[in-house]
C-alpha cells in the first residue's frame, strides 16, 4: 500500500495498467509430452517456475524479455532476495510463474522488477495451506510510477549501488574465508610480543632483549646478535624484555583424569552429586565448561580426578588437543588432562589462547602416540615450552585478542 506523497509528475498505476500478463496461456503438458520435448534440440533452453529455474519443461516457450513472478508458495511472505526476476532470450515457463511484459513507453522492466522485490504481498495473496497470487489480485497491485526517463535514472542508481554492495559482500566473503588464518596470525603475533609492541614503545620500554637457546638463558646488549635454533616455533630468536620461557611442567601440575569402574555404579541423579565431565559434554564453540549432563557420587569410593574453577583441561582422545577453562567444579574421566597452577604465574585465558595456537597444536600432534586414538603422554606435555610475559602483559594480550576475535566472529555472522 502507498501511503506517502509522491513527487511531482509521478502517478499511481496498477500492475495491470503497466504490464501485459501472459501466463497460464496453455494447460500443463503431461509427462510423456514433456519427455518428448526434452529430447528435441529446440527445447534446450532455460526453464523457469515459481521460485526460479526448475528441473522440467511444462508450459510456455517465450522469446522476449519479461519479468517472472512466482504464483504460489513461500516467496510472498518470506524474505527472499528475488521474488521477481528478469529473463530474456528463449526460455520455457511453467504454469506456476506469472509472465509480465511491460507496456512500451510506460514502464521499465528493471524498475518494475525492483519494486516487486520490495513489495509486501500480504494484502494480495489468498489461501490457507498454500498461499497464492492470482491474476485478478496481481492486476490490482499499486505501483508509484515516475516518467520513463526517471525510472531509467532510478534503475541506474540502484544498480550502481547494488554493484558496490555486491563488491563489499565479495570482500566480506573473502575475509570470512580467511578468518581462521587471521586468528592464527593474531595468536602468533601475541606470543612473539608483536601484538603489544605499540604499547611497549609508548612507555619507552628498553630494547634490551632476552634470548633463549639450547644452553640456557642469557642477556645480550642492544644490537648484538647470536643465532641459534629456537626450542619451539612460538619462541623466536628474541622475546621482549621481562618475558620468560617456561615449560608447561614448570607452570602447571599436570595430571590425567580418572574414571571409576564400572562407571554406571557411580552415576547419580542427586543434585548434590559431583559434575561428571566427559568429552561429549564440551562444544567447540565455547572455551568454557559451565555445567555437565551427568553427575557422579564418589563418597567413600574410588576417587576420580577432581577439577576446580580456573583449571584448564585438555582433551586427550576424541576432540584431541582442545583446551577448556573450568567455570565449575567437577571430576574428569581419563580422556582429559588437567593443568592446574599451584602458584598464579599465568592467566588462564592467556594459557587458553596459547594452547589453541597452531604451533602448540602441531606440537601436541608431534608428541602424541597411537594410530586410531591419539594420546598425549604427561611427561611429554610437561616439556613443551611457551613464552611467558608478566601477568599484566598477559592480561593486556588477552584483552586485545578478545576484542579482535569478537570482531572477526561478528564478521563471520554476516
Amino acid at each position: 500500500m502507498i501511503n506517502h506523497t509522491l513527487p511531482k509528475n509521478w502517478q499511481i498505476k496498477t500492475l495491470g495498467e503497466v504490464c501485459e500478463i501472459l501466463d497460464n496461456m496453455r494447460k500443463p503438458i503431461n509427462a510423456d509430452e514433456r519427455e518428448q520435448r526434452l529430447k528435441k534440440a529446440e527445447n534446450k533452453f532455460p526453464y523457469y517456475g515459481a521460485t526460479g529455474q526448475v528441473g522440467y519443461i511444462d508450459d510456455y516457450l517465450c522469446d522476449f524479455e519479461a519479468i517472472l513472478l512466482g504464483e504460489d508458495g513461500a516467496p510472498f511472505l518470506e524474505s527472499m532476495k528475488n521474488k521477481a526476476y528478469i529473463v530474456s532470450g528463449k526460455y520455457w515457463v511453467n504454469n506456476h510463474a506469472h509472465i509480465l511484459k511491460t507496456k512500451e513507453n510506460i514502464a521499465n522492466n528493471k524498475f518494475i522488477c525492483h519494486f516487486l522485490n520490495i513489495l509486501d504481498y500480504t494484502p494480495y495473496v489468498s489461501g490457507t495451506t498454500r498461499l497464492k497470487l492470482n491474476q485478478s489480485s496481481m492486476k490490482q497491485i499499486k505501483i508509484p510510477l515516475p516518467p520513463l526517463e526517471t525510472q531509467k535514472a532510478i534503475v541506474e542508481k540502484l544498480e550502481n549501488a547494488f554493484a558496490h554492495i555486491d563488491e563489499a559482500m565479495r570482500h566480506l566473503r573473502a575475509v570470512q574465508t580467511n578468518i581462521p588464518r587471521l586468528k592464527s596470525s593474531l595468536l602468533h603475533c601475541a606470543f612473539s610480543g608483536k601484538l603489544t609492541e605499540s604499547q611497549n614503545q609508548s612507555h619507552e620500554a628498553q630494547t634490551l632483549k632476552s634470548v633463549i637457546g639450547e644452553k640456557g638463558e642469557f642477556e645480550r646488549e642492544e644490537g648484538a646478535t647470536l643465532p641459534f635454533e629456537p626450542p619451539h616455533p612460538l619462541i623466536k630468536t628474541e622475546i621482549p624484555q621481562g618475558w620468560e620461557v617456561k615449560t608447561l611442567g614448570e607452570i602447571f601440575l599436570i595430571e590425567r583424569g580418572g574414571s571409576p569402574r564400572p562407571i554406571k555404579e557411580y552415576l547419580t541423579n542427586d543434585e548434590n552429586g559431583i559434575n561428571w565431565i566427559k568429552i561429549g559434554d564440551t562444544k567447540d564453540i565455547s572455551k568454557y565448561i559451565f555445567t555437565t549432563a551427568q553427575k557422579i557420587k564418589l563418597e567413600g569410593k574410588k576417587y576420580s580426578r577432581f577439577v576446580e574453577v580456573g583449571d584448564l583441561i585438555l582433551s586427550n582422545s576424541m576432540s584431541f588437543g582442545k583446551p577448556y577453562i573450568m567455570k565449575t567444579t567437577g571430576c574428569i574421566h581419563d580422556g582429559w588432562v588437567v593443568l592446574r597452577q599451584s602458584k598464579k604465574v599465568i592467566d588462564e585465558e592467556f594459557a587458553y589462547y596459547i594452547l589453541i595456537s597452531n604451533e602448540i597444536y602441531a606440537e601436541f600432534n608431534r608428541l602424541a602416540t597411537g594410530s586410531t586414538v591419539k594420546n598425549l603422554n604427561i611427561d611429554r606435555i610437561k616439556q613443551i615450552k611457551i613464552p611467558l610475559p608478566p601477568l599484566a602483559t598477559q592480561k593486556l594480550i588477552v584483552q586485545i585478542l578478545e576484542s579482535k576475535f569478537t570482531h572477526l566472529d561478528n564478521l563471520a555472522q554476516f
Side-chain angles (χ1 to χ4, degrees):
M1 306 299 285
I2 301 167
N3 298 318
H4 53 273
T5 303
L6 294 176
K8 187 178 179 180
N9 298 329
W10 287 47
Q11 304 176 63
I12 300 294
K13 294 286 186 179
T14 64
L15 194 60
E17 290 177 305
V18 299
C19 293
E20 296 179 63
I21 301 174
L22 306 174
D23 55 323
N24 298 322
M25 295 180 65
R26 296 168 52 186
K27 292 181 179 180
I29 60 175
N30 61 41
D32 290 338
E33 289 175 308
R34 184 183 299 122
E35 186 66 25
Q36 290 302 313
R37 286 187 179 185
L38 287 169
K39 290 179 180 179
K40 294 180 181 179
E42 65 176 333
N43 294 317
K44 292 183 179 178
F45 303 120
Y47 27 91
Y48 301 94
T51 56
Q53 188 162 336
V54 295
Y56 58 90
I57 293 173
D58 194 292
D59 194 9
Y60 182 49
L61 178 64
C62 302
D63 60 358
F64 53 84
E65 184 175 278
I67 302 169
L68 295 188
L69 180 63
E71 177 183 81
D72 51 19
F76 303 113
L77 294 183
E78 294 184 7
S79 176
M80 293 183 63
K81 183 176 180 181
N82 288 320
K83 306 181 188 82
Y85 43 93
I86 295 175
V87 293
S88 59
K90 286 190 175 182
Y91 52 92
W92 290 93
V93 180
N94 71 24
N95 65 325
H96 293 290
H98 295 292
I99 307 165
L100 310 178
K101 186 178 181 181
T102 53
K103 296 177 181 179
E104 276 189 59
N105 302 320
I106 296 179
N108 177 280
N109 265 347
K110 291 182 178 179
F111 180 86
I112 300 299
C113 190
H114 284 308
F115 175 79
L116 291 174
N117 278 328
I118 64 166
L119 180 66
D120 179 9
Y121 288 87
T122 307
Y124 302 104
V125 296
S126 58
T128 52
T129 57
R130 188 171 187 177
L131 297 170
K132 187 170 183 178
L133 177 66
N134 59 45
Q135 280 197 34
S136 60
S137 296
M138 182 173 57
K139 288 178 180 179
Q140 302 308 311
I141 292 174
K142 292 182 179 181
I143 299 176
L145 199 71
L148 195 58
E149 288 305 311
T150 305
Q151 293 178 45
K152 292 177 181 177
I154 290 171
V155 166
E156 184 178 350
K157 286 183 177 294
L158 282 174
E159 298 204 335
N160 183 53
F162 289 160
H164 282 88
I165 292 171
D166 289 340
E167 179 68 7
M169 291 302 295
R170 187 181 68 80
H171 286 296
L172 176 60
R173 298 289 177 257
V175 171
Q176 289 173 329
T177 301
N178 285 312
I179 282 175
R181 184 182 62 81
L182 291 170
K183 286 185 173 182
S184 177
S185 178
L186 281 169
L187 290 172
H188 189 83
C189 289
F191 305 128
S192 62
K194 292 181 180 179
L195 198 62
T196 49
E197 267 183 0
S198 59
Q199 282 80 2
N200 291 336
Q201 290 168 358
S202 65
H203 292 289
E204 299 181 348
Q206 296 179 3
T207 55
L208 189 66
K209 305 289 185 178
S210 295
V211 289
I212 304 300
E214 293 178 351
K215 295 182 179 179
E217 179 177 340
F218 57 93
E219 294 184 339
R220 64 173 175 82
E221 294 179 357
E222 182 179 358
T225 59
L226 183 62
F228 66 91
E229 182 180 352
H232 185 274
L234 268 178
I235 304 168
K236 300 303 178 184
T237 54
E238 294 180 349
I239 58 173
Q241 184 184 16
W243 288 41
E244 299 178 273
V245 172
K246 296 284 187 180
T247 65
L248 292 179
E250 290 176 301
I251 299 171
F252 296 105
L253 172 65
I254 304 175
E255 299 175 305
R256 187 177 301 281
S259 300
R261 298 287 192 267
I263 187 60
K264 289 182 179 180
E265 293 185 6
Y266 296 86
L267 295 177
T268 179
N269 294 321
D270 190 340
E271 292 183 0
N272 296 321
I274 300 170
N275 288 318
W276 177 235
I277 304 160
K278 308 185 301 301
I279 296 291
D281 290 328
T282 59
K283 297 179 180 178
D284 287 339
I285 60 173
S286 175
K287 63 181 176 181
Y288 303 112
I289 295 179
F290 292 97
T291 187
T292 56
Q294 290 183 311
K295 295 182 181 291
I296 56 175
K297 198 169 186 178
L298 296 174
E299 293 179 7
K301 299 177 182 177
K302 183 178 178 181
Y303 187 77
S304 179
R305 189 67 61 198
F306 192 74
V307 291
E308 299 177 342
V309 175
D311 287 345
L312 280 91
I313 60 173
L314 183 70
S315 56
N316 195 26
S317 55
M318 291 182 291
S319 55
F320 173 79
K322 179 71 172 69
Y324 293 88
I325 300 172
M326 294 301 303
K327 291 292 185 179
T328 184
T329 58
C331 286
I332 55 173
H333 72 42
D334 44 19
W336 292 105
V337 171
V338 59
L339 293 80
R340 179 184 296 115
Q341 298 183 72
S342 56
K343 180 182 178 182
K344 182 81 171 183
V345 295
I346 190 168
D347 180 83
E348 58 265 21
E349 303 276 347
F350 180 83
Y352 168 83
Y353 282 116
I354 280 188
L355 294 177
I356 66 169
S357 66
N358 285 347
E359 291 89 346
I360 290 293
Y361 186 76
E363 196 74 352
F364 285 155
N365 273 286
R366 185 180 70 83
L367 296 173
T369 57
S371 54
T372 306
V373 178
K374 292 181 180 179
N375 193 277
L376 283 167
N377 180 282
I378 297 295
D379 290 334
R380 292 187 175 186
I381 297 176
K382 290 178 180 179
Q383 300 308 310
I384 294 176
K385 295 179 180 179
I386 64 169
L388 190 70
L391 273 169
T393 305
Q394 294 176 36
K395 292 182 182 298
L396 175 60
I397 289 172
V398 168
Q399 182 181 349
I400 296 172
L401 286 175
E402 291 279 356
S403 174
K404 293 184 180 296
F405 275 34
T406 298
H407 179 63
L408 290 173
D409 290 338
N410 288 338
L411 285 176
Q413 300 304 313
F414 278 93

